[in-house]
Amino acid sequence: MKNMREELDIITAYNELGTYRAAADVCGTTHKTVKRVVERHAAGIVRPVREPRAANYEAVRELVTESMKTSRGRISAKRLLPKARAAGYTGSDRNFRRLVAQEKKTYRAEHGRTHRPAVWSPGEHLAIDWGVIAGVHVFCAVLAWSRFRFVRFAADEKATTTMAMLAECFEVLGGTPKVVLADRMGCLKGGVVANRVVPTPEYVRFATAFRFRPDFCEAADPASKGVVENLVRYGKDDLARPLLLEHAEAVDGDLAAGAARVLADLAAANERAASWCEEVNGALHSEISAVPADRLATEVELLTPLPSLRPSLAPAPVLRKVDKLSTIRLNSARYSVPSALVGSQVAVLVNGPHVLVIDPGTGQIHAQHDMVAPGAASVLDEHYGSARPAAPVRAIRPRTAAEKEFCALGPAAEAFIAGAAGAGHTRLGHELAELNTLTAAHGTEAMITALERAVAFKRWKAADVRSILAAGTGVPTPRAAGEALIVDLPTSSRRSLSEYAPTLTAQAVSS
């Protein structure tokens, strides 16, 4: 059956050409269809409407509708299809997915949540949230009315870190808003009673000092604070990720190592973040069609003035016990302390990229280290009284009577044992008795001299030592080559080449 547009084309073609067959060739149909359409139009008969054909999934529509109600519009067509097959549905999977999409759209239109745009008042709300990328934590805050943005980097999301970031944000804004809206952060949340979040006492004291009201959004509902969710995504994509990639390029593209470099120098990273905030706050905001920095100049008059006495937000030190290695462990990393403190309690304080080990009673700083990655160790030689040896020293400790008698010869005997062991002389233990016999036969001094010669020439068997003793002291002792001997060569008077020319004698001339 032709639709309205096709029938109008047929009538137009017939009026222009005058014959059924010519109009049929132009419109791509038969002359009988052209005749039927033209006659019906000439008679003024209303175009017939075909009854819609029932879809093959109508028999299971009620099943899908009930499933949408019980699942609150979340069940998928893949899960419902086996039930529909069991109920007699024989159509294709594609048609069934079309039915589920229709019913899901209908259910959400009737029961879905409706959203309305937020209406912000000047000086009223500050929204905050945390983001993390490759282990680097990003604190984001946005003043809702002016859209003034504040972004900084941190190593963790602890309560002291969050409140320190808030205090710095208030300093940048030049005042405190009436309400600080946060996600249900574990560091600021003391508990939940009847869906009402109870803030921690430390956060309440902080809010009282700065004179704002702490507020928390609904659980698992990012739409209630979308103004800061957008900033978190923007800050991670436009600020944090390029910074991490720059540091990763310096360490062969290792993103984790690049993140460690950022965390090791948070001061420089936050300077970069402050410059970025200054740039974006000075540009035109697409949502409000205004510059956030200019709006802040108006909004700051409605902010609560900062308190004259600011609360101390330094992180609380943690106690650690110094182990037998004269180290303490913090975040799966080791830091050395003076060996005199083994077994005692010390306080550990993280100050930016530095780790301070202090006395918990007097506050005296025992050690200061640069923060290292988990699994690494920061060891200072002065804490152990000497520098670390280049290689581990394996002391010679005689145990048997033969070993004690041989080692009594002194350093020469110990050097002989160490060299023989390094050369893999497996019969050394059995030959010690023979070497002791040679000592008794030739005397201690001769034996020490022979051992020194054996070590110099790397001869490790008892037979070699016996040969050295038999040769006596008359054998030459080679020395290492010294410096080059520089001797001036003798000089002679110079003679011209003419003096070497041959001369003819008188006899040769006469002949």
Side-chain angles (χ1 to χ4, degrees), residues 66-77:
E66 291 298 325
S67 299
M68 288 298 159
K69 292 179 181 179
T70 56
S71 66
R72 298 182 180 180
R74 295 183 179 179
I75 194 169
S76 64

Side-chain angles (χ1 to χ4, degrees), residues 64-148:
V64 176
T65 303
E66 291 298 325
S67 299
M68 288 298 159
K69 292 179 181 179
T70 56
S71 66
R72 298 182 180 180
R74 295 183 179 179
I75 194 169
S76 64
K78 181 180 179 180
R79 298 296 180 186
L80 272 176
L81 185 58
K83 295 182 181 180
R85 295 290 187 195
Y89 175 71
T90 57
S92 65
D93 297 355
R94 182 178 182 181
N95 265 3
F96 187 74
R97 287 196 298 271
R98 185 179 291 112
L99 169 64
V100 172
Q102 293 174 3
E103 292 301 317
K104 191 173 291 188
K105 182 178 180 180
T106 303
Y107 178 85
R108 290 176 177 175
E110 296 176 357
H111 303 88
R113 177 183 173 184
T114 58
H115 299 272
R116 65 179 65 187
V119 179
W120 306 107
S121 300
E124 189 72 21
H125 285 86
L126 176 75
I128 65 172
D129 199 4
W130 281 99
V132 61
I133 175 172
V136 178
H137 300 269
V138 186
F139 177 83
C140 300
V142 56
L143 200 56
W145 183 78
S146 64
R147 297 299 201 278
F148 191 87

Side-chain angles (χ1 to χ4, degrees), residues 142-150 173 234 277-300:
V142 56
L143 200 56
W145 183 78
S146 64
R147 297 299 201 278
F148 191 87
R149 288 155 284 194
F150 176 86
L173 296 177
Y234 183 31
C277 291
E278 184 178 353
E279 178 184 351
V280 298
N281 289 325
L284 187 70
H285 195 284
S286 61
E287 182 69 22
I288 60 176
S289 297
V291 178
D294 296 342
R295 274 206 167 192
L296 178 63
T298 304
E299 190 174 8
V300 70

Side-chain angles (χ1 to χ4, degrees), residues 99 101 117 254 261-262 271 296 344 371 375 381 412 427 463 484 488 502:
L99 169 64
D254 189 352
R261 288 167 59 94
V262 173
E271 289 180 4
L296 178 63
S344 61
M371 186 179 295
D381 292 337
R427 298 286 301 172
D488 294 334

